[in-house]
Amino acid sequence: MKKALMGTTALVAAAVTTGVAAEEMMAEPISISVGGNSHWGIAIVDNEMNSDTSDDIALSNDVELRFAGSTVLDSGVEVGVRIEIEGEESTDQGDETYMYLEGSFGTIRVGNDDTASYQMSTAAPYATYFYGINTPFWVGSFSGPNSNWHSTFAGVNAGDSASVMYFSPVINGFQFGVSYAPEAGAEARSDTASRAKGGDVVSIGARFDGAFGDAGVTVAAGYASQEKEPMSAVTGSYIQADGTVGSTKTDDVLRKAVTAAPGATETDYNAGVVVSMSGVSVGGSYRATDHDDGSDDTEQFDVGISYGEGPWTISLNYGEKTQDSAGTDNTYARLLGNYNLGPGINLAGALGQDTLASDENTTFAGVAMAISF
């Protein structure tokens, strides 16, 4: 208490000496604001691959609460926090949770968040992401558990890893970012990280948002490298400390397994470009994933064109996902529409068809309501 009183007295004395009020010298404490979203959709699905889901009605949802706050120090550096919590039952109830420092030097961020390459990526223009091909809200396909995830964002498989990140200042529309996530479950002591146990994740992303004449242009590219958890030759088993095969995967077991059976290093590369003018946007993105396990690369891309006027936006989109060694040859087509009902309130509609290598099609029609606050 005495030290605190002396510190306060010194602060007041300094204020009197300089002629500046004490309250003007101190940064405001961080106050937290609450935001979030509630997204719900319903779709009629005809799935030729699985008779159990043919002509089914599927409900989809994404509900999230976001707590954020910041303050600006006397030095001009902004200090802030962000905490996201899933609004429905989830195995990863805590989502992106981090603190940051931001100033003329750029932004330093520490906590659980997506890789820098993921955050700086771009994709084809969509009227709405609900039931889209590249979608951050929910999986936009109903074609089965092994074929319904499509993303051209490098590093998406790393999840919200416990990471340290740096984003440069935006200079003439250009910005770059780097991120590093240590070994999950060993060096990374984070109970909210969604990434399964595995080695380090290194990511680099770059992005340009600018204009050439009347056309707006976005160009982005990224790289991410993730060391996968080492496994024994017996699928689903791990090498034990005594060299035998078992199901336990403690930290000691994993360290032993690194020498005996190193895990693969999954490497992602991606790039995308979007050009917009007079309400029309055209573009696409591409991602290649090298699994380093003897299988072929997984390649994914999407392209699209959108048009918006007033509260309306419509788009036509197409995408593919291929991997020869896994027999993956998926195509995705979407006709999407969005109508803005008011601030933070949108009504979306989608028609879609997915075709797998087996030529078994999945078609659906869906509507979604998005409320952001």
Side-chain angles (χ1 to χ4, degrees):
M1 176 65 73
K2 184 181 293 183
K3 289 183 178 180
L5 180 59
M6 291 176 63
T8 303
T9 304
L11 182 61
V12 173
V16 172
T17 302
T18 59
V20 179
E23 59 269 19
E24 294 181 0
M25 296 181 60
M26 299 178 63
E28 293 292 329
I30 294 177
S31 59
I32 298 296
S33 62
V34 180
N37 60 262
S38 180
H39 301 155
W40 292 84
I42 183 170
I44 299 174
V45 183
D46 181 8
N47 192 328
E48 295 178 2
M49 183 181 66
N50 187 338
S51 59
D52 292 336
T53 60
S54 295
D55 299 316
D56 238 344
I57 296 179
L59 283 171
S60 304
N61 68 299
D62 181 80
V63 182
E64 191 171 78
L65 284 176
R66 290 185 289 272
F67 304 88
S70 64
T71 188
V72 178
L73 305 179
D74 296 337
S75 61
V77 175
E78 180 179 334
V79 180
V81 295
R82 183 181 177 96
I83 301 170
E84 298 185 6
I85 299 176
E86 296 294 340
E88 68 276 344
E89 185 177 353
S90 172
T91 55
D92 183 19
Q93 201 69 47
D95 203 1
E96 284 90 1
T97 57
Y98 57 82
M99 58 157 287
Y100 67 88
L101 304 174
E102 184 174 343
S104 58
F105 53 84
T107 302
I108 299 173
R109 186 181 299 174
V110 181
N112 297 105
D113 205 358
D114 297 307
T115 61
S117 57
Y118 178 91
Q119 295 188 56
M120 305 193 78
S121 295
T122 190
Y126 291 87
T128 175
Y129 282 112
F130 301 110
Y131 301 116
I133 299 171
N134 264 332
T135 170
F137 297 118
W138 56 62
V139 172
S141 170
F142 305 93
S143 301
N146 298 321
S147 60
N148 59 6
W149 182 252
H150 183 93
S151 176
T152 59
F153 293 179
V156 65
N157 295 334
D160 299 321
S161 302
S163 310
V164 58
M165 300 184 173
Y166 170 75
F167 296 94
S168 74
V170 178
I171 301 176
N172 295 327
F174 175 79
Q175 184 182 33
F176 73 89
V178 296
S179 64
Y180 169 74
E183 182 180 350
E187 285 85 1
R189 300 294 181 181
S190 173
D191 291 334
T192 61
S194 63
R195 178 165 60 104
K197 285 187 177 182
D200 300 349
V201 179
V202 178
S203 173
I204 302 172
R207 184 180 177 108
F208 171 79
D209 291 286
F212 293 94
D214 295 332
V217 178
T218 294
V219 180
Y223 162 87
S225 175
Q226 177 181 4
E227 297 177 8
K228 292 296 188 178
E229 185 176 10
M231 298 183 68
S232 74
V234 180
T235 303
S237 299
Y238 298 82
I239 297 176
Q240 305 300 296
D242 60 1
T244 61
V245 173
S247 59
T248 306
K249 50 178 182 177
T250 63
D251 291 345
D252 289 338
V253 170
L254 288 174
R255 279 191 285 272
K256 181 82 173 179
V258 168
T259 302
T265 299
E266 183 175 280
T267 306
D268 271 348
Y269 305 89
N270 79 318
V273 59
V274 178
V275 178
S276 303
M277 185 170 59
S278 301
V280 178
S281 296
V282 180
S285 59
Y286 171 83
R287 172 188 174 201
T289 304
D290 180 0
H291 304 281
D292 191 27
D293 59 2
S295 61
D296 295 330
D297 291 358
T298 300
E299 296 183 273
Q300 304 179 69
F301 75 84
D302 70 345
V303 293
I305 180 171
S306 70
Y307 175 73
E309 182 177 358
W312 283 99
T313 305
I314 59 173
S315 71
L316 185 63
N317 301 91
Y318 176 82
E320 288 189 8
K321 178 178 181 179
T322 59
Q323 186 186 20
D324 292 341
S325 58
T328 301
D329 186 9
N330 304 338
T331 64
Y332 312 87
R334 299 287 186 274
L335 175 62
L336 305 169
N338 187 79
Y339 183 78
N340 180 247
L341 296 171
I345 305 173
N346 288 276
L347 180 64
L351 294 175
Q353 181 175 59
D354 303 332
T355 302
L356 309 186
S358 59
D359 291 328
E360 294 176 319
N361 300 334
T362 296
T363 56
F364 69 90
V367 293
M369 176 74 109
I371 300 176
S372 300
F373 51 90

